[in-house]
Amino acid sequence: MRYDFGSDNTAGMAPAAMDAMVGANDGFARAYGADDVTARAGESGRRLDADAEVRFVFSGTAANAIALSMLAFPHEAVLAHHAAHICTDETGAPGFFGQGVGLIGLPGFSGKIAPTALTAALAEPEVGHRQPPAALSLTQSTEYGTVYSEEELRHLIEPVKLKGHGVHMDGARLANAAAAGFDLTQIARLGVDVLVFGGAKAGANCTEALVMFDKTLARRIDNRLKQAGQTASKARFLAAPFLGLLESGAWEDGAAHANLMARRLAEGIATRSPFILAHPVEANAVFVRMPEAAHARLNALGWACYRFDDGSVRFVCSWATRAEAVDEIVDAIAGLD
């Protein structure tokens, strides 16, 4: 089975990330994040043009769940798109880390929360029998490969802030959003309180950065992370791949390449196959309306791709996707019955 398009998690580490990891392995360094590599990696996050507290953790699930536990009490809930990773793929982690924090799924086309749905949720009367919303979670780029514009985000964040609620952004594929033209410096300005700055899908190992723009959230953050099993003794090996990607420009360049390969794939499918695209292709994912039999045949030919929540088949490109592989899978899809 070929996993070129199974997920951007199936690619290895980008060379810049690997080189930085090897470099960090030279000699001795202070433990638990007190080393120079971790400090430099945290400073690299200043490309967000904001003062923030930064910590590096082992997984996006932990980063999201810990972030949400900062924004909502156990008797409260978080608003999110119903297809958001926190709702569909994290096994209740927000509730676990948040000791009962709930999730309220909202509709919207192609992974983007519909403003009318958010307005309706915020207008719901608070009663003692259900968890009221206390925060909003946004995914950029979305689970369906679309990218919120600054204006779209503003229309969602402003009413939430007027309610006094917090805002979290899941940026597992933030690099792809940036490569599509999203201005990273707007994240803090729009009112996001805590960001998960994606590393793994951009070519790091298993590293995500927890970026707290609201620095009051960082009170005792090291204690919280330690208790959650997210404090690395050799923290430089979490931070170094991030540092390598950011300082070399590979974080952005790899994402731009992935987006380009996704457009190449989408164009090939649209022009050479009988299948149609299910969602706009704005980042590094392509979703295709494909019958079960055709999907099974493609898998049998050795191509890993997965049916997603809406029934479409998802193909994901990464920093490592080759143009030749795109052309090969387009040939395979074009030949399906």
Side-chain angles (χ1 to χ4, degrees):
M1 185 69 74
R2 292 188 59 176
Y3 291 91
D4 307 42
F5 303 95
S7 168
D8 38 9
N9 288 320
T10 64
M13 290 175 66
M18 183 64 79
D19 289 347
M21 175 85 82
V22 173
N25 195 49
D26 185 31
F28 296 85
R30 297 179 69 185
Y32 296 106
D35 59 281
D36 292 339
V37 170
T38 301
R40 284 169 54 203
E43 288 298 316
S44 294
R46 292 198 182 279
R47 68 187 55 211
L48 300 169
D49 196 26
D51 186 25
E53 284 282 343
V54 180
R55 297 293 188 277
F56 298 95
V57 299
F58 294 103
S59 77
T61 294
N64 285 332
I66 291 169
L68 295 177
S69 75
M70 299 175 184
L71 299 178
F73 286 115
H75 58 278
E76 296 175 327
V78 176
L79 298 162
H81 192 278
H82 64 76
H85 206 266
I86 60 171
C87 294
T88 63
D89 289 276
E90 296 186 355
T91 322
F96 177 78
F97 281 90
Q99 298 180 307
V101 166
L103 297 170
I104 300 172
L106 301 176
F109 292 114
S110 300
K112 294 181 178 180
I113 295 171
T116 52
L118 176 64
T119 299
L122 292 174
E124 282 282 326
E126 291 191 9
V127 298
H129 299 274
R130 58 176 177 261
Q131 291 172 294
L136 171 68
S137 178
L138 297 160
T139 307
Q140 180 74 320
S141 57
T142 74
E143 298 296 339
Y144 284 104
T146 54
V147 178
Y148 282 108
S149 69
E150 177 188 338
E151 192 66 17
E152 288 173 324
L153 289 174
R154 180 174 289 107
H155 284 309
L156 296 173
I157 292 173
E158 283 185 352
V160 169
K161 286 292 186 175
L162 286 173
K163 282 278 192 175
H165 300 338
V167 178
H168 156 261
M169 180 175 284
D170 179 351
R173 295 187 175 95
L174 187 62
N176 301 99
F182 177 65
D183 182 359
L184 298 180
T185 66
Q186 295 302 315
I187 298 174
R189 294 170 190 166
L190 285 165
V192 173
D193 297 292
V194 57
L195 164 71
V196 176
F197 193 102
K201 291 176 172 61
N205 46 357
C206 302
T207 309
E208 309 292 300
L210 191 61
V211 182
M212 293 155 281
F213 299 113
D214 178 356
K215 295 176 74 171
T216 65
L217 299 176
R219 182 175 181 268
R220 294 178 176 164
I221 183 62
D222 295 315
N223 305 83
R224 186 187 290 258
L225 293 176
K226 183 67 172 179
Q227 187 182 63
Q230 292 298 312
T231 300
S233 58
K234 298 184 179 182
R236 65 189 185 279
F237 295 118
L238 286 183
F242 239 112
L243 182 64
L245 290 173
L246 293 171
E247 288 192 342
S248 69
W251 190 81
E252 296 92 341
D253 293 345
H257 172 78
N259 290 5
L260 179 63
M261 291 298 98
R263 292 195 297 273
R264 184 184 184 114
L265 176 59
E267 182 179 356
I269 293 171
T271 59
R272 295 189 52 208
S273 84
F275 310 116
I276 63 172
L277 303 178
H279 301 282
V281 179
E282 297 174 354
N284 66 320
V286 179
F287 293 82
V288 182
R289 296 294 179 200
M290 184 180 289
E292 293 278 358
H295 181 210
R297 176 63 180 151
L298 189 61
N299 286 162
L301 290 172
W303 295 100
C305 51
Y306 303 98
R307 195 163 293 278
F308 214 62
D309 299 350
D310 69 334
S312 64
V313 177
R314 187 188 76 165
F315 303 82
V316 186
C317 298
S318 73
W319 70 268
T321 301
R322 297 177 299 110
E324 295 82 2
V326 173
D327 296 341
E328 286 178 36
I329 197 171
V330 168
D331 286 343
I333 293 170
L336 295 174
D337 298 329

